[in-house]
Amino acid sequence: MYDLQGKVVLITGAAGGIGAASARELYAQGASLVLTDTSQEAVDTLAQEFNSQRVLPLAFDVTDAEAAKAVVRQAVERFGRLDVAFANAGISWRGVPATLRTCDEAEFRRIIEVDLFGVWHTMRAALPEVVRNRGQVLVTSSAYAYLNGMANAPYAASKAAVESLTRSLRAELSATGASASVLYPGWTATAIAKVAFGGNAIATQMNETLLPAFLHRAIAPEQVARGVARGLQKRQPRIVVPARWAPISLMRGLFNVLTDWHLARHARLHRLLHQLEEETVRSQTPG
Ligand SMILES: NC(=O)c1ccc[n+]([C@@H]2O[C@H](COP(=O)([O-])OP(=O)(O)OC[C@H]3O[C@@H](n4cnc5c(N)ncnc54)[C@H](O)[C@@H]3O)[C@@H](O)[C@H]2O)c1
């Protein structure tokens, strides 16, 4: 067991749904927290929930590699150590979900910058401390690491990439006593999930058409947070929440072949994709 009592945990995207719920859970397990997000005000507000001795709220945009190093320096100055880096910040489409044919190039790049390079910057900056303290790196990937990323491709590509990065890291760290884990949340009721469910009628219809009801029922971020704490305590290589995704995650090779085949033949889906593309193009047209 890895005891979280007295450990120092850095969380990126801490003001968001999964980040804040995890902060509360890890704090309850005895950890001190370095809470980071793009807005200082947002992390200050979250920090007010905790004893000020055990929390350091910092503004940190994960796309800034130098800022990542500065955050780790500040954490060590304040607490004397950093044990766990939870690279959790992430974004998807800002507005209407887009296909690869219709998406805005700058937005594509921004998603990769945050969701892939943001994880890399956090991981890279934290590694000297994590290795020194035989600690852990936890990276938020997604079921999108193995699902077909249709209409959410840069997000899915980033989540597959950070999964791969973290698996490599776990192997590379194995002789050091430190470890790395991948977190795979299913649909969770937070701001980011609205892109696929609820925020856009066509994308919602698409997901409802494709996924069985038990898979598109969103869980609470607190459920993910409990998985995070348990996963860190057990140094699990993979944290799959909720567990109903686990068989698909394990059977992904076969599942991918079947779903890709199915998607290519799904006439209703093709109509919805066409409607979505028209809506994206309209939303990009000035006036
Ligand atoms: N909600 C879901 O259904 C779901 C499913 C699988 C994976 N995830 C992943 O979980 C993680 C947390 O997302 P969430 O569900 O809590 O959504 P959220 O939108 O509530 O939280 C994301 C947080 O990341 C922060 N962020 C965005 N850009 C940033 C940047 N450049 N630098 C630092 N912080 C930045 C946001 O300000 C926000 O607080 C993300 O990586 C997301 O991709 C979410």
Side-chain angles (χ1 to χ4, degrees), residues 16-18 37 60-62 88-89 140-141 155 159 185-186 188 190 192:
I18 292 174
D37 208 304
F60 166 39
D61 182 330
V62 295
N88 167 70
T140 307
S141 176
Y155 180 84
K159 293 303 180 184
T188 309
T190 67
I192 202 173

Side-chain angles (χ1 to χ4, degrees), residues 12-20 36-39 42 60-63 87-92 110 113-115 140-144 155 159 183-194 218 221:
T12 69
I18 292 174
T36 71
D37 208 304
T38 44
S39 147
F60 166 39
D61 182 330
V62 295
T63 60
N88 167 70
I91 57 169
S92 182
R110 176 75 188 161
E113 285 288 339
V114 175
D115 293 0
T140 307
S141 176
S142 165
Y144 264 118
Y155 180 84
K159 293 303 180 184
L183 172 66
Y184 302 89
W187 298 115
T188 309
T190 67
I192 202 173
K194 293 202 183 84

